[in-house]
Amino acid sequence: MTAQPIIENFKNYLPLNKEESSLLNKRTAQRQIKRRQMILQENFVCRHYTFVVKGCFKMYSVDEKGCEHNISFAVENEWIADLGSFYSEKPSKLFIEAIEPSLILQIEKQDLLYLFVNVPKFDRNFRVIIEEKFIELQNRLLQNISSNANQRYLDFLEQYPKLALRLPNTQIASYLGITPEFLSKIRSETQIK
């Protein structure tokens, strides 16, 4: 069953029955993704909602100077998509790239809308997942405007302890809005204490 990892994940919310699981399975595509492969590029419409079975992704923008700014990461049992582009069907301003070789499940917009209408549990589960992500983004915004770089790094370690071990310094620094050199300095000071 292609969608089995999503079905297992939904057991954390409202589990799907066999019929609902079958509907989901028919509307899910599995893909192997190589390291550094894009599943969304700037100026393209985001056509899929993506569930990470294995691997790690980053969603980021690139400024006029060519600097990357990481918006979010997604690892196993997490979803990733540019929601603005996905729902508006307008070109994205973001990239989604694999940091590691990955296995993903994707659902196209028309299939997702079908599932929302025909599988109420799917709609409810998705609402909870999106609300959790929204809270995460609110907390990140609050940290960015009210915390110094040291505190943002400590908060990142607390919130994402396993992710911090998987990401290179450059990716974490981009997420925190600091240079990799400054992150190295913070890390060395944090280890001394």
Side-chain angles (χ1 to χ4, degrees):
M1 208 182 232
T2 303
Q4 193 60 38
I6 298 172
I7 294 163
E8 289 298 316
N9 182 258
F10 278 5
K11 289 180 180 177
N12 297 320
Y13 307 101
L14 292 173
L16 303 178
N17 63 34
K18 286 186 179 183
E19 183 181 329
E20 294 163 336
S21 297
S22 178
L23 284 174
L24 174 60
N25 195 52
K26 292 175 185 171
R27 287 167 170 73
T28 305
Q30 181 176 301
R31 292 180 61 200
Q32 292 278 348
I33 305 296
K34 296 176 183 173
R35 182 180 175 274
R36 299 194 53 94
Q37 184 177 341
M38 301 280 184
I39 60 170
L40 177 66
Q41 293 188 45
E42 183 181 42
N43 296 320
F44 286 84
V45 174
C46 182
R47 302 263 181 226
H48 300 93
Y49 222 99
T50 300
F51 182 82
V52 182
V53 176
K54 179 180 173 242
C56 182
F57 287 83
K58 64 179 178 175
M59 182 162 45
Y60 64 97
S61 66
V62 177
D63 66 21
E64 60 279 348
K65 295 178 184 175
C67 294
E68 286 185 14
H69 302 279
N70 288 336
I71 309 294
S72 66
F73 299 103
V75 294
E76 291 82 6
N77 297 312
E78 292 184 341
W79 295 88
I80 192 163
D82 176 355
L83 289 179
S85 174
F86 185 81
Y87 285 109
S88 70
E89 297 186 2
K90 292 182 179 175
S92 179
K93 296 177 182 175
L94 301 170
F95 297 86
I96 300 177
E97 178 182 336
I99 296 174
E100 303 170 352
S102 302
L103 176 65
I104 60 174
L105 299 174
Q106 292 187 308
I107 304 173
E108 290 187 26
K109 183 179 179 181
Q110 69 274 9
D111 291 322
L112 186 66
L113 296 177
Y114 175 88
L115 291 166
F116 284 163
V117 170
N118 294 288
V119 183
K121 287 180 198 173
F122 196 86
D123 181 57
R124 177 66 184 129
N125 288 344
F126 242 75
R127 194 167 340 140
V128 171
I129 291 165
I130 290 172
E131 287 169 356
E132 288 172 349
K133 274 293 186 191
F134 182 77
I135 292 166
E136 190 179 304
L137 286 170
Q138 277 184 313
N139 290 336
R140 179 166 179 232
L141 179 61
L142 185 59
Q143 288 169 354
N144 282 349
I145 61 175
S146 64
S147 300
N148 62 34
N150 285 8
Q151 189 58 50
R152 288 197 310 268
Y153 175 65
L154 293 174
D155 290 342
F156 179 84
L157 291 178
E158 185 178 322
Q159 189 170 3
Y160 309 107
K162 293 179 182 173
L163 187 58
L165 300 173
R166 292 170 72 172
L167 295 173
N169 274 1
T170 54
Q171 299 304 320
I172 296 171
S174 173
Y175 182 81
L176 297 174
I178 58 178
T179 65
E181 295 77 19
F182 192 60
L183 176 60
S184 292
K185 180 181 176 195
I186 292 171
R187 278 184 154 174
S188 65
E189 289 172 357
T190 304
Q191 291 174 352
I192 293 170
K193 295 180 181 178

